[in-house]
Amino acid sequence: MSRLSSLVTFTIMVMATMTRATSINYAEALAKSILFFEGQRSGKLPPSQRMKWRKDSALNDGFDIHINMIGGYYEAGDNVKFNFPMAFTTTMLAWSVLEFGDLMGLELQNALEAIQWGTDYFLKATKFPYIVVAQVGNPVADHNCWERPEDMDTPRTSYFLSPKKPGSEVSAEIAAALAASSIAFRRTDARYSKLLLYRAMQVFHFANKNRGSYNNSVGAAPSTVILVATWYDFHGHNIHNFCTENLVHIIIIIIYQTQDELIWGAAWLYEATNMPKYRNFVKANIQSMGGNLVEFGWDSKHAGIYVLVSQVCHLSFSLEFANLFIPNADKFICSLLPTSPTKSVSYSKGGLLFRPGGSNLQHTTALSFLLIVYARYMHAAKKAIPCENEVADPARLINLAKSQVDYILGNNPQGMSYMVGYGHKFPQKIHHRGSTLPSMDLHPQHLGCRDGDQYFKTEKPNPNVLTGAVVGGPAEDDSFQDSRYNVGQSEPTTYINAPFVGVLAYFNKPIISFTQK
């Protein structure tokens, strides 16, 4: 399922530093990283559900606006469905399959099912041409309770976008998710693939025609929507702290740019359709995007755009078009190298990549994904990158990404895995409602809003293992506090795991031989 299109057969030979450590089992980690998404499912669970302690939940979502919004994912340790980071999660799962699906083996089917759980939901969210559902669940009410998703009785308010209440960043990210997923399903379900692509085009048109940020337009109380993602937003602001006695909310208003999501959506639509209008959109708008070149995550697509479009540029198109993307992609790569003069990230003494803010492993997994993808593009183009006084070749990029993966999976100063359920030592008290509270099987009686406080405060390990969840990770001094109170370190999110799926698929076979088709 490689996306690289030229008819070339090649092998990336891994250097000595790439030798697989005996303590790292990438195949096991890959399987568990995908299984995690079953623990985050909302809605009616299928008979094939493997994480058995989870049950049906949120079966009335969308009824307040007469749209069936049952399904989708809880993106972190709470019970709100934030469609912006959920869409990015879906995009990255699809990109993982497109780049590395041929390396996933039997896990490919599970990865496609994880994608479809998201895309089925987004088909519902975009059912009507002039409405895009952006979020389900009141986050202020939800964050003031510690309830299982199966029990939650907080308001399941649906927030939607319209021409009068635009939200280009959310709509365009949903378009990207649908477009990328349409490619992922092209070989196995052509009819579903065409449905996703048609809807992606429709939603992108909505996003581009009705420009504006959803932070300024959604709902009667927009401050509830600004709590997008987890209690740590992408830039690390602490917007929620579970104190000993109660929940304390600090609402931080951040105005997000929307241009990068529009370009990102157009880039994926070009990948899916090869239609010049989407390429022209990307070309016409890329120079006005602004932002930080090294950022890539659920609310910033800059580096991802340069890497994604550079793949096309390496294989085709004019020098003029290529010069809009490849030089910036190269600069991005140089900015990640530990000894580069233009480095814009930091590394802990133990070797973990850091960006400013909390929940750091969201940066580590996303940037590692881009390193590997770009290394493959570079190898196909037979190029290396000059970073002033040093040179980055594909093997060096892969070695750097591998050092990050191995750190996450246990080769670190703490000697612990930051993936729940992997290795002999991993986080036991993660900040996650369903994992913290007794399962419905053990405690079928309803647990109300504050009934969960006693379970949150206990020093005992969580009773339900959220297998495969990658938590926010250690501090920059390589220390880790295994505590539900430390949200930035102990909370898992879907957008940490999604790019890690692709990364693990690659390192499942550190010496790769494949035919580009």
Side-chain angles (χ1 to χ4, degrees):
M1 276 198 172
S2 171
R3 290 174 45 256
L4 300 176
S5 57
S6 62
L7 296 176
V8 179
T9 300
F10 69 88
T11 299
I12 295 181
M13 300 303 297
V14 182
M15 299 169 60
T17 53
M18 273 289 298
T19 302
R20 186 185 310 198
T22 56
S23 60
I24 303 294
N25 185 328
Y26 301 105
E28 178 189 349
L30 171 63
K32 290 181 175 179
S33 71
I34 298 172
L35 177 60
F36 157 74
F37 290 95
E38 295 191 18
Q40 298 300 110
R41 284 173 169 172
S42 177
K44 182 72 175 177
L45 303 184
S48 60
Q49 174 78 11
R50 294 176 294 167
M51 203 167 285
K52 298 297 185 181
W53 55 266
R54 280 298 324 281
K55 307 297 180 185
D56 298 346
S57 62
L59 298 181
N60 293 313
D61 279 2
F63 283 26
D64 59 328
I65 57 172
H66 306 290
I67 299 175
N68 177 3
M69 290 308 303
I70 299 170
Y73 290 111
Y74 306 115
E75 51 79 43
D78 56 6
N79 298 326
V80 181
K81 295 192 294 197
F82 293 106
N83 291 3
F84 192 6
M86 192 198 305
F88 175 73
T89 293
T90 307
T91 305
M92 292 309 298
L93 283 172
W95 198 0
S96 292
V97 165
L98 296 177
E99 292 286 349
F100 309 112
D102 54 349
L103 308 178
M104 291 182 179
L106 296 177
E107 289 304 318
L108 175 59
Q109 183 57 39
N110 289 325
L112 289 171
E113 289 178 7
I115 295 169
Q116 188 166 355
W117 196 266
T119 52
D120 282 352
Y121 172 82
F122 286 121
L123 288 174
K124 297 176 182 179
T126 59
K127 180 178 180 180
F128 299 102
Y130 301 105
I131 289 178
V132 172
V133 179
Q135 178 180 318
V136 179
N138 183 308
V140 173
D142 180 88
H143 292 173
N144 271 306
C145 294
W146 196 259
E147 285 183 297
R148 299 177 294 198
E150 294 83 0
D151 282 330
M152 60 181 169
D153 46 20
T154 52
R156 300 299 292 172
T157 308
S158 300
Y159 302 88
F160 63 90
L161 309 170
S162 69
K164 293 183 179 179
K165 298 189 298 182
S168 298
E169 64 273 71
V170 185
S171 302
E173 184 62 59
I174 292 174
L178 293 170
S181 299
S182 76
I183 309 172
F185 283 102
R186 191 171 287 167
R187 293 185 181 182
T188 59
D189 193 336
R191 182 177 180 181
Y192 189 65
S193 172
K194 290 178 181 178
L195 173 61
L196 296 177
L197 182 56
Y198 174 80
R199 190 65 59 84
M201 296 168 70
Q202 172 187 305
V203 177
F204 180 80
H205 176 75
F206 174 91
N208 187 38
K209 183 179 180 181
N210 305 293
R211 295 198 181 191
S213 173
Y214 86 133
N215 291 304
N216 302 328
S217 62
V218 171
S223 63
T224 65
V225 180
I226 292 165
L227 283 166
V228 135
T230 63
W231 299 305
Y232 273 81
D233 72 293
F234 183 73
H235 301 285
H237 301 291
N238 185 359
I239 56 179
H240 185 285
N241 179 29
F242 196 109
C243 297
T244 303
E245 297 297 331
N246 56 18
L247 292 163
V248 178
H249 288 277
I250 304 173
I251 307 299
I252 295 180
I253 298 178
I254 302 169
I255 304 302
Y256 297 103
Q257 291 184 328
T258 62
Q259 189 76 349
D260 56 325
E261 273 80 30
L262 286 167
I263 297 171
W264 175 247
W268 275 112
L269 276 163
Y270 181 70
E271 289 281 319
T273 66
N274 205 34
M275 294 175 67
K277 69 177 182 179
Y278 295 116
R279 181 194 65 209
N280 294 339
F281 183 96
V282 173
K283 181 179 179 180
N285 289 279
I286 190 66
Q287 291 178 308
S288 63
M289 181 170 64
N292 190 329
L293 181 67
V294 77
E295 288 187 355
F296 183 58
W298 63 263
D299 79 335
S300 185
K301 308 305 182 304
H302 299 72
I305 292 168
Y306 291 119
V307 168
L308 176 66
V309 180
S310 290
Q311 182 263 341
V312 179
C313 296
H314 276 134
L315 299 175
S316 59
F317 288 121
S318 67
L319 181 63
E320 178 189 4
F321 186 79
N323 282 340
L324 294 174
F325 301 94
I326 292 179
N328 279 331
D330 290 351
K331 290 177 184 177
F332 160 69
I333 294 301
C334 291
S335 76
L336 298 182
L337 301 182
T339 58
S340 170
T342 59
K343 181 179 68 173
S344 64
V345 297
S346 61
Y347 288 85
S348 70
K349 289 184 179 180
L352 184 65
L353 181 152
F354 272 83
R355 290 275 296 147
S359 194
N360 182 67
L361 290 187
Q362 66 177 308
H363 307 299
T364 308
T365 60
L367 296 179
S368 294
F369 180 94
L370 295 185
L371 280 169
I372 299 169
V373 168
Y374 202 65
R376 285 156 58 101
Y377 297 169
M378 288 169 59
H379 196 286
K382 296 181 173 60
K383 66 171 280 185
I385 302 172
C387 300
E388 295 191 8
N389 62 346
E390 56 183 294
V391 176
D393 61 13
R396 185 173 181 188
L397 272 59
I398 295 214
N399 290 334
L400 176 56
K402 184 177 184 296
S403 72
Q404 302 306 298
V405 176
D406 290 358
Y407 185 109
I408 292 171
L409 294 180
N411 288 349
N412 57 63
Q414 296 294 324
M416 73 180 297
S417 162
Y418 292 106
M419 175 183 283
V420 175
Y422 176 87
H424 69 279
K425 180 183 178 184
F426 54 83
Q428 302 287 328
K429 292 174 279 188
I430 66 172
H431 188 100
H432 187 277
R433 285 163 171 76
S435 175
T436 302
L437 297 163
S439 69
M440 296 291 290
D441 291 331
L442 296 179
H443 193 290
Q445 297 80 17
H446 178 82
L447 291 170
C449 176
R450 308 308 310 182
D451 293 338
D453 292 5
Q454 60 177 312
Y455 301 100
F456 181 94
K457 296 174 184 178
T458 182
E459 290 299 314
K460 296 179 181 180
N462 290 6
N464 305 310
V465 179
L466 187 63
T467 303
V470 180
V471 298
E476 201 160 358
D477 63 358
D478 295 304
S479 65
F480 179 74
Q481 184 182 14
D482 190 4
S483 169
R484 302 176 195 96
Y485 291 92
N486 194 326
V487 183
Q489 290 193 353
S490 70
E491 185 173 33
T493 70
T494 58
Y495 50 85
I496 295 176
N497 268 65
F500 205 45
V501 168
V503 171
L504 290 169
Y506 177 86
F507 286 112
N508 185 35
K509 297 181 180 180
I511 296 179
I512 296 179
S513 178
F514 65 97
T515 302
Q516 301 174 16
K517 298 181 179 180

Coordinates of all heavy atoms in Angstrom, one line a residue, residues 345-408:
V345 N 14.3 22.3 18.1 CA 13.8 21.4 19.2 C 14.9 21.2 20.2 O 16.0 21.5 19.9 CB 13.2 20.1 18.6 CG1 12.1 20.3 17.6 CG2 14.3 19.3 18.0
S346 N 14.5 20.6 21.3 CA 15.5 20.3 22.3 C 15.4 18.8 22.6 O 14.5 18.1 22.2 CB 15.3 21.0 23.6 OG 14.0 20.7 24.2
Y347 N 16.5 18.2 23.2 CA 16.5 16.8 23.5 C 16.9 16.7 25.0 O 17.8 17.4 25.5 CB 17.5 16.1 22.6 CG 17.1 15.9 21.2 CD1 17.3 16.9 20.3 CD2 16.4 14.8 20.8 CE1 16.9 16.8 19.0 CE2 16.0 14.6 19.5 CZ 16.2 15.6 18.6 OH 15.7 15.5 17.3
S348 N 16.2 15.8 25.7 CA 16.6 15.5 27.0 C 17.9 14.7 27.1 O 18.4 14.3 26.0 CB 15.5 14.6 27.7 OG 15.5 13.3 27.1
K349 N 18.5 14.6 28.3 CA 19.8 13.9 28.4 C 19.6 12.4 28.0 O 20.5 11.8 27.5 CB 20.3 13.9 29.8 CG 20.8 15.3 30.2 CD 21.4 15.3 31.7 CE 21.9 16.7 32.0 NZ 22.5 16.7 33.4
G350 N 18.4 11.9 28.1 CA 18.1 10.5 27.7 C 17.8 10.4 26.2 O 17.7 9.3 25.7
G351 N 17.7 11.6 25.5 CA 17.6 11.5 24.1 C 16.2 11.8 23.5 O 16.0 11.6 22.3
L352 N 15.2 12.2 24.3 CA 13.9 12.4 23.8 C 13.7 13.8 23.3 O 14.1 14.8 23.9 CB 12.9 12.1 25.0 CG 11.4 12.2 24.6 CD1 11.0 11.1 23.6 CD2 10.5 12.2 25.8
L353 N 13.1 13.8 22.1 CA 12.8 15.1 21.5 C 11.7 15.9 22.3 O 10.8 15.3 22.7 CB 12.3 14.9 20.0 CG 12.0 16.1 19.2 CD1 12.2 15.7 17.7 CD2 10.5 16.5 19.3
F354 N 11.9 17.2 22.4 CA 11.0 18.0 23.1 C 10.6 19.3 22.3 O 11.5 19.8 21.7 CB 11.5 18.4 24.5 CG 11.2 17.5 25.6 CD1 12.0 16.3 25.8 CD2 10.1 17.6 26.4 CE1 11.8 15.4 26.8 CE2 9.8 16.7 27.4 CZ 10.7 15.6 27.6
R355 N 9.4 19.6 22.4 CA 8.8 20.9 22.0 C 8.2 21.6 23.2 O 7.8 20.9 24.1 CB 7.8 20.7 20.9 CG 8.4 20.2 19.5 CD 8.9 21.3 18.7 NE 7.7 22.2 18.3 CZ 7.9 23.5 18.1 NH1 9.0 24.1 18.3 NH2 6.8 24.2 17.8
P356 N 8.1 22.9 23.2 CA 7.5 23.6 24.3 C 6.0 23.1 24.6 O 5.3 22.8 23.6 CB 7.5 25.0 23.9 CG 8.6 25.1 22.9 CD 8.6 23.8 22.2
G357 N 5.7 23.0 25.9 CA 4.3 22.7 26.2 C 4.2 21.3 26.8 O 5.2 20.6 27.0
G358 N 3.0 21.0 27.2 CA 2.7 19.7 27.9 C 2.4 18.6 26.9 O 2.4 18.8 25.6
S359 N 2.1 17.4 27.4 CA 1.8 16.2 26.6 C 2.8 16.1 25.4 O 2.5 16.0 24.2 CB 0.4 16.4 26.0 OG -0.1 15.2 25.5
N360 N 4.1 16.0 25.8 CA 5.1 16.1 24.8 C 5.2 15.0 23.8 O 5.6 15.3 22.6 CB 6.5 16.2 25.5 CG 7.6 16.3 24.5 OD1 7.8 17.4 23.9 ND2 8.4 15.3 24.3
L361 N 4.8 13.8 24.1 CA 4.9 12.7 23.1 C 4.0 12.9 21.9 O 4.2 12.2 20.9 CB 4.6 11.4 23.8 CG 5.7 10.9 24.8 CD1 5.4 9.5 25.3 CD2 7.1 11.0 24.2
Q362 N 3.0 13.9 21.9 CA 2.3 14.2 20.7 C 3.3 14.7 19.7 O 3.1 14.5 18.5 CB 1.2 15.2 21.0 CG 1.6 16.6 21.4 CD 0.5 17.5 21.6 OE1 -0.4 17.7 20.7 NE2 0.4 18.1 22.8
H363 N 4.3 15.5 20.1 CA 5.2 16.0 19.2 C 6.2 14.9 18.7 O 6.5 14.8 17.5 CB 6.0 17.2 19.8 CG 5.2 18.2 20.4 ND1 4.3 19.0 19.7 CD2 5.0 18.7 21.7 CE1 3.7 19.9 20.4 NE2 4.1 19.7 21.7
T364 N 6.6 14.1 19.7 CA 7.6 13.1 19.4 C 7.1 12.1 18.3 O 7.8 11.8 17.4 CB 8.0 12.3 20.6 OG1 8.4 13.3 21.7 CG2 9.1 11.4 20.4
T365 N 5.9 11.6 18.5 CA 5.3 10.6 17.6 C 5.0 11.3 16.2 O 5.3 10.7 15.2 CB 4.1 10.0 18.1 OG1 3.0 11.0 18.3 CG2 4.4 9.2 19.4
A366 N 4.5 12.5 16.2 CA 4.1 13.1 14.9 C 5.4 13.5 14.1 O 5.5 13.3 12.9 CB 3.3 14.4 15.1
L367 N 6.4 14.0 14.8 CA 7.6 14.4 14.1 C 8.4 13.2 13.6 O 9.1 13.2 12.6 CB 8.4 15.4 14.9 CG 7.8 16.7 15.3 CD1 8.7 17.6 16.2 CD2 7.4 17.5 14.0
S368 N 8.4 12.1 14.4 CA 9.1 10.9 14.0 C 8.4 10.3 12.8 O 9.1 9.8 11.9 CB 9.0 9.9 15.2 OG 9.8 10.3 16.3
F369 N 7.1 10.4 12.7 CA 6.4 10.0 11.5 C 6.9 10.7 10.3 O 7.2 10.1 9.2 CB 4.9 10.2 11.7 CG 4.1 9.7 10.5 CD1 3.5 8.5 10.5 CD2 3.8 10.6 9.4 CE1 2.7 8.1 9.4 CE2 3.1 10.2 8.4 CZ 2.5 8.9 8.3
L370 N 7.0 12.0 10.4 CA 7.5 12.8 9.2 C 8.9 12.5 8.9 O 9.3 12.5 7.7 CB 7.3 14.3 9.5 CG 5.9 14.8 9.7 CD1 5.9 16.3 9.9 CD2 5.0 14.4 8.5
L371 N 9.8 12.3 9.9 CA 11.1 11.9 9.6 C 11.2 10.7 8.7 O 12.0 10.6 7.7 CB 11.9 11.7 10.9 CG 12.4 12.9 11.7 CD1 12.9 12.4 13.1 CD2 13.5 13.5 10.9
I372 N 10.4 9.6 9.0 CA 10.5 8.4 8.3 C 9.9 8.6 6.9 O 10.5 8.1 5.9 CB 9.7 7.3 9.0 CG1 10.4 7.0 10.4 CG2 9.7 6.0 8.2 CD1 9.6 6.1 11.3
V373 N 8.8 9.3 6.8 CA 8.2 9.5 5.5 C 9.1 10.2 4.6 O 9.3 9.9 3.4 CB 6.8 10.2 5.7 CG1 6.3 10.7 4.3 CG2 5.8 9.3 6.3
Y374 N 9.7 11.3 5.1 CA 10.6 12.1 4.3 C 11.9 11.3 3.9 O 12.4 11.5 2.8 CB 11.0 13.4 5.0 CG 11.4 14.5 4.0 CD1 10.5 15.0 3.0 CD2 12.7 15.0 4.0 CE1 10.9 15.9 2.1 CE2 13.1 16.0 3.1 CZ 12.2 16.4 2.1 OH 12.5 17.4 1.2
A375 N 12.4 10.5 4.8 CA 13.5 9.7 4.5 C 13.3 8.8 3.3 O 14.1 8.6 2.5 CB 13.9 8.8 5.7
R376 N 12.1 8.2 3.2 CA 11.7 7.4 2.1 C 11.6 8.2 0.8 O 12.1 7.7 -0.2 CB 10.4 6.7 2.4 CG 10.5 5.5 3.4 CD 9.2 5.2 4.1 NE 8.1 4.9 3.3 CZ 7.6 3.6 3.0 NH1 8.3 2.6 3.6 NH2 6.6 3.4 2.3
Y377 N 11.1 9.4 0.9 CA 11.1 10.3 -0.3 C 12.5 10.6 -0.7 O 12.8 10.6 -1.9 CB 10.3 11.6 0.0 CG 8.9 11.4 0.4 CD1 8.2 12.5 0.9 CD2 8.2 10.2 0.3 CE1 6.9 12.4 1.3 CE2 6.8 10.1 0.6 CZ 6.2 11.2 1.1 OH 4.9 11.2 1.5
M378 N 13.3 10.9 0.2 CA 14.7 11.3 -0.1 C 15.4 10.1 -0.8 O 16.2 10.3 -1.7 CB 15.5 11.7 1.2 CG 15.1 13.0 1.8 SD 15.8 13.2 3.4 CE 17.5 13.1 3.1
H379 N 15.2 8.9 -0.2 CA 15.9 7.7 -0.8 C 15.4 7.5 -2.2 O 16.2 7.2 -3.1 CB 15.5 6.5 0.0 CG 16.5 5.3 -0.2 ND1 16.3 4.6 -1.4 CD2 17.5 4.8 0.5 CE1 17.3 3.6 -1.4 NE2 18.0 3.8 -0.3
A380 N 14.1 7.7 -2.5 CA 13.6 7.5 -3.8 C 14.2 8.6 -4.8 O 14.4 8.3 -6.0 CB 12.1 7.6 -3.8
A381 N 14.5 9.8 -4.3 CA 15.0 10.8 -5.1 C 16.6 10.8 -5.1 O 17.2 11.7 -5.7 CB 14.5 12.2 -4.6
K382 N 17.2 9.9 -4.3 CA 18.6 9.8 -4.2 C 19.2 11.1 -3.8 O 20.2 11.6 -4.5 CB 19.2 9.3 -5.6 CG 18.8 7.9 -6.0 CD 19.4 7.5 -7.3 CE 19.1 6.0 -7.7 NZ 17.7 5.7 -7.8
K383 N 18.7 11.6 -2.7 CA 19.2 12.9 -2.2 C 19.6 12.9 -0.8 O 19.2 12.0 0.0 CB 18.2 14.0 -2.5 CG 16.9 13.8 -1.6 CD 16.0 15.1 -1.7 CE 16.5 16.2 -0.8 NZ 15.6 17.4 -0.8
A384 N 20.5 13.8 -0.4 CA 20.8 14.1 1.0 C 20.6 15.6 1.2 O 20.5 16.3 0.2 CB 22.2 13.7 1.3
I385 N 20.5 16.0 2.5 CA 20.2 17.4 2.8 C 21.4 18.0 3.4 O 21.8 17.6 4.5 CB 19.0 17.5 3.7 CG1 17.7 16.8 3.1 CG2 18.7 19.0 4.0 CD1 16.6 16.8 4.0
P386 N 21.9 19.1 2.9 CA 23.0 19.9 3.6 C 22.3 20.7 4.7 O 21.5 21.5 4.4 CB 23.6 20.7 2.5 CG 22.5 20.9 1.5 CD 21.6 19.7 1.6
C387 N 22.8 20.5 5.9 CA 22.4 21.4 7.0 C 23.5 22.2 7.5 O 24.2 21.9 8.5 CB 21.8 20.5 8.1 SG 20.4 19.5 7.7
E388 N 23.9 23.2 6.7 CA 25.1 24.0 6.9 C 26.4 23.1 7.0 O 26.8 22.7 6.0 CB 24.9 24.9 8.2 CG 23.8 25.9 8.0 CD 23.7 27.0 9.1 OE1 24.7 27.0 9.9 OE2 22.8 27.7 9.1
N389 N 26.9 22.9 8.2 CA 28.1 22.1 8.3 C 28.0 20.6 8.4 O 29.0 19.9 8.7 CB 29.0 22.7 9.5 CG 28.3 22.5 10.8 OD1 27.1 22.1 10.8 ND2 29.0 22.6 11.9
E390 N 26.8 20.1 8.2 CA 26.6 18.6 8.2 C 25.6 18.2 7.2 O 24.9 19.1 6.6 CB 26.2 18.2 9.6 CG 25.0 18.8 10.2 CD 24.7 18.3 11.6 OE1 24.5 17.1 11.8 OE2 24.8 19.1 12.5
V391 N 25.5 16.9 7.0 CA 24.6 16.4 5.9 C 23.7 15.4 6.6 O 24.1 14.5 7.4 CB 25.5 15.7 4.8 CG1 24.5 15.1 3.8 CG2 26.3 16.8 4.1
A392 N 22.4 15.4 6.2 CA 21.4 14.5 6.6 C 21.1 13.6 5.4 O 20.5 14.0 4.4 CB 20.2 15.2 7.1
D393 N 21.4 12.3 5.6 CA 20.9 11.3 4.6 C 19.7 10.5 5.1 O 19.4 10.6 6.3 CB 22.1 10.4 4.1 CG 22.7 9.6 5.3 OD1 22.0 9.5 6.4 OD2 23.7 9.0 5.1
P394 N 19.1 9.7 4.3 CA 17.9 9.0 4.8 C 18.2 8.1 6.0 O 17.3 8.1 6.9 CB 17.5 8.1 3.6 CG 18.0 8.9 2.4 CD 19.3 9.5 2.8
A395 N 19.3 7.5 6.0 CA 19.6 6.6 7.2 C 19.7 7.4 8.5 O 19.3 6.9 9.5 CB 20.9 5.8 6.9
R396 N 20.2 8.6 8.4 CA 20.3 9.4 9.6 C 18.9 9.8 10.2 O 18.7 9.7 11.4 CB 21.1 10.6 9.4 CG 21.4 11.5 10.6 CD 22.3 12.6 10.4 NE 22.6 13.3 11.6 CZ 23.2 14.5 11.7 NH1 23.7 15.0 10.6 NH2 23.4 15.1 12.8
L397 N 18.0 10.1 9.3 CA 16.7 10.4 9.7 C 16.0 9.2 10.3 O 15.3 9.3 11.4 CB 15.8 10.9 8.5 CG 15.9 12.4 8.1 CD1 17.3 12.8 7.8 CD2 15.0 12.7 7.0
I398 N 16.2 8.0 9.7 CA 15.6 6.8 10.3 C 16.2 6.5 11.6 O 15.5 6.1 12.5 CB 15.7 5.7 9.3 CG1 15.0 6.1 8.0 CG2 15.4 4.4 9.9 CD1 14.3 5.1 7.2
N399 N 17.5 6.7 11.8 CA 18.1 6.4 13.1 C 17.6 7.3 14.2 O 17.3 6.9 15.3 CB 19.6 6.6 13.0 CG 20.3 5.5 12.1 OD1 19.8 4.4 12.0 ND2 21.4 5.8 11.6
L400 N 17.4 8.6 13.8 CA 16.8 9.5 14.8 C 15.4 9.1 15.2 O 15.1 9.1 16.4 CB 16.8 10.9 14.2 CG 16.2 12.0 15.1 CD1 16.9 12.1 16.4 CD2 16.3 13.4 14.4
A401 N 14.6 8.8 14.2 CA 13.2 8.3 14.5 C 13.2 7.1 15.4 O 12.4 7.0 16.3 CB 12.4 8.1 13.2
K402 N 14.1 6.2 15.1 CA 14.2 4.9 15.9 C 14.6 5.2 17.3 O 14.1 4.6 18.2 CB 15.2 3.9 15.3 CG 15.2 2.6 16.0 CD 16.1 1.6 15.3 CE 16.1 0.3 16.0 NZ 16.5 0.3 17.4
S403 N 15.5 6.2 17.5 CA 15.9 6.5 18.9 C 14.7 7.0 19.7 O 14.5 6.7 20.9 CB 17.0 7.6 18.9 OG 16.5 8.8 18.5
Q404 N 13.7 7.7 19.0 CA 12.5 8.2 19.7 C 11.6 7.0 20.0 O 11.0 7.0 21.1 CB 11.8 9.2 18.8 CG 12.7 10.4 18.5 CD 13.3 11.1 19.7 OE1 12.6 11.6 20.6 NE2 14.6 11.1 19.8
V405 N 11.4 6.2 19.1 CA 10.5 5.0 19.3 C 11.0 4.2 20.4 O 10.2 3.8 21.3 CB 10.4 4.2 18.0 CG1 9.6 2.9 18.2 CG2 9.8 5.0 16.9
D406 N 12.3 3.9 20.4 CA 12.9 3.0 21.4 C 12.8 3.6 22.8 O 12.6 3.0 23.8 CB 14.3 2.6 21.1 CG 14.4 1.7 19.9 OD1 13.3 1.3 19.4 OD2 15.5 1.3 19.5
Y407 N 13.0 5.0 22.9 CA 12.8 5.7 24.1 C 11.4 5.5 24.7 O 11.2 5.1 25.8 CB 13.1 7.2 23.9 CG 13.1 8.0 25.2 CD1 14.3 8.5 25.7 CD2 11.9 8.3 25.9 CE1 14.2 9.2 26.9 CE2 11.9 9.0 27.1 CZ 13.1 9.5 27.6 OH 13.0 10.2 28.7
I408 N 10.4 5.7 23.8 CA 9.0 5.6 24.2 C 8.7 4.1 24.7 O 8.0 4.0 25.7 CB 8.1 5.9 23.1 CG1 8.2 7.4 22.7 CG2 6.6 5.6 23.4 CD1 7.4 7.9 21.5

